Amino acid sequence: DIVMTQSPDSLAVPLGERATINCKSSQSVLYSSNNKNYLAWYQQKPGQPPKVLFYWASTRESGVPDRFSGSGSGTDFTLTISSLQAEDVAVYYCQQYYSTPRRTFGQGTKVEIK
Amino acid sequence: EVHLVESGGGLVQPGGSLRLSCAASGFTFSTYSMNWVRQAPGKGLEWLSYISPSSSTIYYADSAKGRFTISRDDAKNSLHLQMNSLRAEDTAVYYCARDRIRGVDFDYWGQGTLVTVSS
Protein backbone atom coordinates (compact mmCIF):
# COMPACT_ATOMS: atom_id res chain seq x y z
CA ASP A 1 0.00 0.00 0.00
CA ILE A 2 1.09 3.55 -0.68
CA VAL A 3 1.43 5.37 2.63
CA MET A 4 0.64 9.06 2.70
CA THR A 5 2.25 11.12 5.47
CA GLN A 6 1.22 14.68 6.15
CA SER A 7 3.07 17.31 8.12
CA PRO A 8 2.45 18.95 10.42
CA ASP A 9 -0.42 17.20 12.20
CA SER A 10 -1.77 20.61 13.15
CA LEU A 11 -0.91 24.24 12.71
CA ALA A 12 -2.19 27.56 13.99
CA VAL A 13 -1.81 30.54 11.68
CA PRO A 14 -2.86 34.17 12.20
CA LEU A 15 -5.65 35.46 10.02
CA GLY A 16 -4.30 36.69 6.71
CA GLU A 17 -1.07 34.73 7.00
CA ARG A 18 0.12 31.78 4.90
CA ALA A 19 -0.59 28.19 5.86
CA THR A 20 1.43 25.37 4.31
CA ILE A 21 0.63 21.67 4.54
CA ASN A 22 2.96 18.98 3.25
CA CYS A 23 2.13 15.51 2.01
CA LYS A 24 4.66 12.82 1.22
CA SER A 25 3.90 9.50 -0.45
CA SER A 26 5.88 6.32 0.18
CA GLN A 27 6.33 5.89 -3.56
CA SER A 28 5.93 8.15 -6.54
CA VAL A 29 2.35 8.87 -7.59
CA LEU A 30 3.47 10.38 -10.89
CA TYR A 31 2.19 8.24 -13.74
CA SER A 32 4.83 8.44 -16.45
CA SER A 33 2.54 7.65 -19.38
CA ASN A 34 0.48 10.82 -18.93
CA ASN A 35 2.80 12.85 -16.67
CA LYS A 36 0.04 13.30 -14.11
CA ASN A 37 0.34 13.15 -10.36
CA TYR A 38 -2.42 10.97 -8.93
CA LEU A 39 -3.03 13.08 -5.87
CA ALA A 40 -6.00 14.99 -4.47
CA TRP A 41 -6.53 17.36 -1.56
CA TYR A 42 -9.71 17.51 0.54
CA GLN A 43 -11.02 19.93 3.14
CA GLN A 44 -13.25 18.70 5.95
CA LYS A 45 -15.01 21.16 8.21
CA PRO A 46 -16.46 20.00 11.53
CA GLY A 47 -19.60 17.95 11.10
CA GLN A 48 -19.34 17.93 7.33
CA PRO A 49 -18.15 15.42 4.73
CA PRO A 50 -14.86 16.07 2.96
CA LYS A 51 -14.86 18.37 -0.04
CA VAL A 52 -12.34 18.07 -2.85
CA LEU A 53 -10.08 21.08 -3.36
CA PHE A 54 -7.56 19.80 -5.92
CA TYR A 55 -7.08 16.77 -8.12
CA TRP A 56 -4.13 15.88 -10.33
CA ALA A 57 -2.22 17.62 -7.52
CA SER A 58 -2.86 21.14 -8.79
CA THR A 59 -6.15 21.25 -10.69
CA ARG A 60 -8.45 23.42 -8.62
CA GLU A 61 -12.01 22.22 -8.17
CA SER A 62 -14.65 24.65 -9.38
CA GLY A 63 -15.58 27.16 -6.70
CA VAL A 64 -12.42 26.78 -4.63
CA PRO A 65 -10.98 30.21 -3.80
CA ASP A 66 -7.70 31.06 -5.50
CA ARG A 67 -6.01 31.64 -2.14
CA PHE A 68 -5.72 27.84 -2.14
CA SER A 69 -3.01 26.28 -4.30
CA GLY A 70 -1.71 22.77 -4.79
CA SER A 71 1.79 21.93 -5.95
CA GLY A 72 4.41 19.21 -6.05
CA SER A 73 5.27 16.12 -8.03
CA GLY A 74 6.42 12.56 -7.54
CA THR A 75 6.42 11.98 -3.80
CA ASP A 76 6.25 15.48 -2.31
CA PHE A 77 3.22 17.73 -2.41
CA THR A 78 2.08 20.95 -0.79
CA LEU A 79 -1.24 22.62 -0.12
CA THR A 80 -0.91 26.33 0.49
CA ILE A 81 -3.45 28.79 1.77
CA SER A 82 -1.95 32.16 0.88
CA SER A 83 -4.04 34.26 3.26
CA LEU A 84 -5.87 32.27 5.91
CA GLN A 85 -9.51 33.15 6.44
CA ALA A 86 -11.76 32.15 9.34
CA GLU A 87 -13.77 29.87 7.07
CA ASP A 88 -10.63 27.87 6.22
CA VAL A 89 -10.51 26.30 9.69
CA ALA A 90 -10.74 22.62 8.88
CA VAL A 91 -8.85 19.36 8.61
CA TYR A 92 -7.08 18.88 5.30
CA TYR A 93 -6.31 15.48 3.79
CA CYS A 94 -4.21 14.41 0.86
CA GLN A 95 -5.18 11.26 -1.03
CA GLN A 96 -3.37 9.20 -3.62
CA TYR A 97 -5.23 7.43 -6.39
CA TYR A 98 -2.15 6.00 -8.14
CA SER A 99 -3.05 2.60 -6.72
CA THR A 100 -6.65 3.10 -7.72
CA PRO A 101 -9.18 1.92 -6.96
CA ARG A 102 -7.43 1.27 -3.64
CA ARG A 103 -6.93 4.85 -2.53
CA THR A 104 -5.21 5.98 0.64
CA PHE A 105 -5.40 9.19 2.62
CA GLY A 106 -2.91 11.05 4.73
CA GLN A 107 -3.67 11.25 8.43
CA GLY A 108 -4.96 14.81 8.13
CA THR A 109 -3.70 18.25 9.15
CA LYS A 110 -5.81 20.42 11.41
CA VAL A 111 -5.65 24.14 10.59
CA GLU A 112 -6.68 26.63 13.24
CA ILE A 113 -6.53 30.38 13.76
CA LYS A 114 -3.75 31.67 15.97
CA GLU B 1 -27.57 18.93 -8.56
CA VAL B 2 -25.80 15.82 -7.34
CA HIS B 3 -27.08 14.39 -4.07
CA LEU B 4 -25.90 11.35 -2.15
CA VAL B 5 -27.88 10.39 0.94
CA GLU B 6 -26.78 7.56 3.19
CA SER B 7 -29.07 5.62 5.50
CA GLY B 8 -29.11 2.45 7.55
CA GLY B 9 -26.68 3.33 10.31
CA GLY B 10 -27.37 2.74 13.95
CA LEU B 11 -26.38 0.83 17.06
CA VAL B 12 -25.51 -2.83 16.58
CA GLN B 13 -23.98 -5.42 18.88
CA PRO B 14 -20.57 -6.93 18.18
CA GLY B 15 -20.96 -9.77 15.72
CA GLY B 16 -24.10 -8.27 14.27
CA SER B 17 -24.93 -7.10 10.78
CA LEU B 18 -26.08 -3.90 9.17
CA ARG B 19 -26.93 -2.86 5.63
CA LEU B 20 -26.13 0.69 4.59
CA SER B 21 -27.70 2.37 1.60
CA CYS B 22 -26.85 5.44 -0.44
CA ALA B 23 -29.53 7.06 -2.55
CA ALA B 24 -28.13 8.95 -5.52
CA SER B 25 -29.78 11.68 -7.57
CA GLY B 26 -28.90 14.45 -9.96
CA PHE B 27 -26.64 12.40 -12.23
CA THR B 28 -26.67 9.24 -14.33
CA PHE B 29 -25.84 6.86 -11.50
CA SER B 30 -25.31 3.83 -13.70
CA THR B 31 -22.32 5.40 -15.46
CA TYR B 32 -20.29 6.25 -12.36
CA SER B 33 -18.02 4.24 -10.11
CA MET B 34 -18.92 4.51 -6.43
CA ASN B 35 -17.17 3.98 -3.12
CA TRP B 36 -17.65 3.63 0.61
CA VAL B 37 -15.30 5.56 2.89
CA ARG B 38 -15.45 5.60 6.67
CA GLN B 39 -14.20 7.82 9.46
CA ALA B 40 -13.88 6.59 13.03
CA PRO B 41 -14.69 9.19 15.70
CA GLY B 42 -11.96 11.82 15.79
CA LYS B 43 -9.90 9.91 13.24
CA GLY B 44 -8.99 10.17 9.56
CA LEU B 45 -10.54 8.86 6.38
CA GLU B 46 -10.34 5.22 5.32
CA TRP B 47 -11.39 4.01 1.87
CA LEU B 48 -13.35 0.76 2.22
CA SER B 49 -14.75 -0.42 -1.09
CA TYR B 50 -15.19 0.38 -4.77
CA ILE B 51 -17.71 -0.72 -7.37
CA SER B 52 -17.52 0.10 -11.05
CA PRO B 53 -20.42 0.70 -13.43
CA SER B 54 -22.35 -2.51 -14.06
CA SER B 55 -20.67 -3.96 -10.96
CA SER B 56 -18.01 -5.43 -13.22
CA THR B 57 -15.16 -4.56 -10.86
CA ILE B 58 -15.26 -4.61 -7.07
CA TYR B 59 -12.45 -3.97 -4.63
CA TYR B 60 -12.20 -3.96 -0.85
CA ALA B 61 -9.74 -2.67 1.68
CA ASP B 62 -8.22 -5.42 3.80
CA SER B 63 -10.31 -4.21 6.75
CA ALA B 64 -13.50 -4.90 4.77
CA LYS B 65 -12.54 -8.03 2.86
CA GLY B 66 -14.58 -11.07 3.80
CA ARG B 67 -17.00 -9.16 6.05
CA PHE B 68 -18.39 -6.36 3.88
CA THR B 69 -20.13 -6.61 0.52
CA ILE B 70 -20.68 -3.67 -1.79
CA SER B 71 -23.48 -3.71 -4.34
CA ARG B 72 -25.48 -1.35 -6.50
CA ASP B 73 -28.97 -1.23 -7.95
CA ASP B 74 -28.81 0.98 -11.02
CA ALA B 75 -32.57 0.74 -11.54
CA LYS B 76 -33.08 2.35 -8.13
CA ASN B 77 -30.01 4.63 -8.22
CA SER B 78 -28.75 3.12 -5.01
CA LEU B 79 -25.51 1.85 -3.54
CA HIS B 80 -25.33 -0.59 -0.65
CA LEU B 81 -22.85 -1.93 1.87
CA GLN B 82 -23.72 -5.14 3.67
CA MET B 83 -21.64 -5.34 6.83
CA ASN B 84 -21.37 -8.60 8.76
CA SER B 85 -19.43 -9.74 11.82
CA LEU B 86 -19.19 -6.18 13.03
CA ARG B 87 -16.56 -5.23 15.58
CA ALA B 88 -16.13 -2.28 17.92
CA GLU B 89 -13.45 -0.92 15.61
CA ASP B 90 -16.03 -0.64 12.81
CA THR B 91 -17.66 2.21 14.73
CA ALA B 92 -17.48 5.14 12.34
CA VAL B 93 -19.34 7.50 10.07
CA TYR B 94 -19.76 5.78 6.72
CA TYR B 95 -19.79 7.93 3.59
CA CYS B 96 -20.64 7.05 0.04
CA ALA B 97 -18.53 8.91 -2.48
CA ARG B 98 -18.59 9.22 -6.26
CA ASP B 99 -15.57 8.91 -8.51
CA ARG B 100 -15.10 11.99 -10.65
CA ILE B 101 -13.84 9.70 -13.38
CA ARG B 102 -13.33 6.01 -12.76
CA GLY B 103 -10.61 5.56 -10.22
CA VAL B 104 -9.68 9.19 -9.71
CA ASP B 105 -10.69 11.46 -6.85
CA PHE B 106 -14.05 11.63 -5.08
CA ASP B 107 -15.96 14.63 -6.38
CA TYR B 108 -19.15 14.17 -4.37
CA TRP B 109 -19.75 12.79 -0.90
CA GLY B 110 -22.86 12.07 1.10
CA GLN B 111 -23.38 13.46 4.60
CA GLY B 112 -22.60 10.08 6.13
CA THR B 113 -24.38 7.64 8.42
CA LEU B 114 -23.10 6.71 11.87
CA VAL B 115 -22.56 3.07 12.75
CA THR B 116 -21.94 2.27 16.40
CA VAL B 117 -20.87 -1.24 17.35
CA SER B 118 -21.30 -1.75 21.05
CA SER B 119 -22.90 -4.10 23.54
Side-chain angles (χ1 to χ4, degrees):
Chain A
D1 286 2
I2 299 177
V3 177
M4 307 301 290
T5 304
Q6 293 180 226
S7 61
D9 289 335
S10 65
L11 74 161
V13 175
L15 283 171
E17 296 296 306
R18 178 184 300 264
T20 302
I21 300 168
N22 300 300
C23 174
K24 189 173 184 67
S25 57
S26 60
Q27 66 182 74
S28 176
V29 298
L30 174 63
Y31 200 46
S32 56
S33 65
N34 59 11
N35 201 37
K36 288 188 172 184
N37 287 285
Y38 282 49
L39 183 113
W41 286 99
Y42 297 85
Q43 176 194 63
Q44 186 178 31
K45 297 182 178 180
Q48 295 185 18
K51 166 191 163 185
V52 64
L53 298 177
F54 293 92
Y55 52 102
W56 303 127
S58 59
T59 300
R60 186 181 289 108
E61 176 74 335
S62 175
V64 173
D66 60 7
R67 63 180 179 274
F68 289 90
S69 62
S71 63
S73 185
T75 61
D76 293 281
F77 299 90
T78 301
L79 175 70
T80 302
I81 309 172
S82 61
S83 174
L84 189 71
Q85 303 301 303
E87 60 265 33
D88 302 333
V89 169
V91 179
Y92 294 84
Y93 295 92
C94 60
Q95 176 211 39
Q96 65 80 19
Y97 43 93
Y98 185 89
S99 62
T100 194
R102 293 188 177 90
R103 284 154 278 193
T104 50
F105 295 90
Q107 80 276 18
T109 295
K110 186 175 185 179
V111 174
E112 299 174 307
I113 305 295
K114 188 172 185 179
Chain B
E1 186 181 359
V2 172
H3 280 292
L4 298 171
V5 180
E6 301 91 341
S7 60
L11 176 64
V12 60
Q13 292 189 338
S17 298
L18 216 52
R19 186 178 190 240
L20 306 184
S21 296
C22 172
S25 61
F27 64 103
T28 307
F29 178 75
S30 62
T31 65
Y32 282 84
S33 298
M34 299 294 297
N35 302 266
W36 287 99
V37 178
R38 71 181 178 184
Q39 186 170 36
K43 302 297 184 182
L45 301 165
E46 179 189 15
W47 169 82
L48 280 179
S49 186
Y50 162 94
I51 188 167
S52 66
S54 304
S55 306
S56 55
T57 305
I58 287 175
Y59 283 89
Y60 298 99
D62 289 345
S63 58
K65 209 172 297 182
R67 299 189 301 128
F68 295 179
T69 303
I70 192 171
S71 63
R72 62 190 299 160
D73 184 339
D74 290 343
K76 295 183 178 179
N77 291 340
S78 61
L79 176 72
H80 304 284
L81 186 68
Q82 176 68 42
M83 303 188 296
N84 299 328
S85 303
L86 285 163
R87 309 163 180 161
E89 54 266 35
D90 295 318
T91 294
V93 174
Y94 286 72
Y95 297 101
C96 62
R98 189 185 85 164
D99 276 4
R100 178 186 309 275
I101 306 170
R102 188 183 299 201
V104 184
D105 64 301
F106 304 142
D107 62 348
Y108 285 94
W109 298 64
Q111 287 296 315
T113 188
L114 176 63
V115 172
T116 303
V117 185
S118 175
S119 55

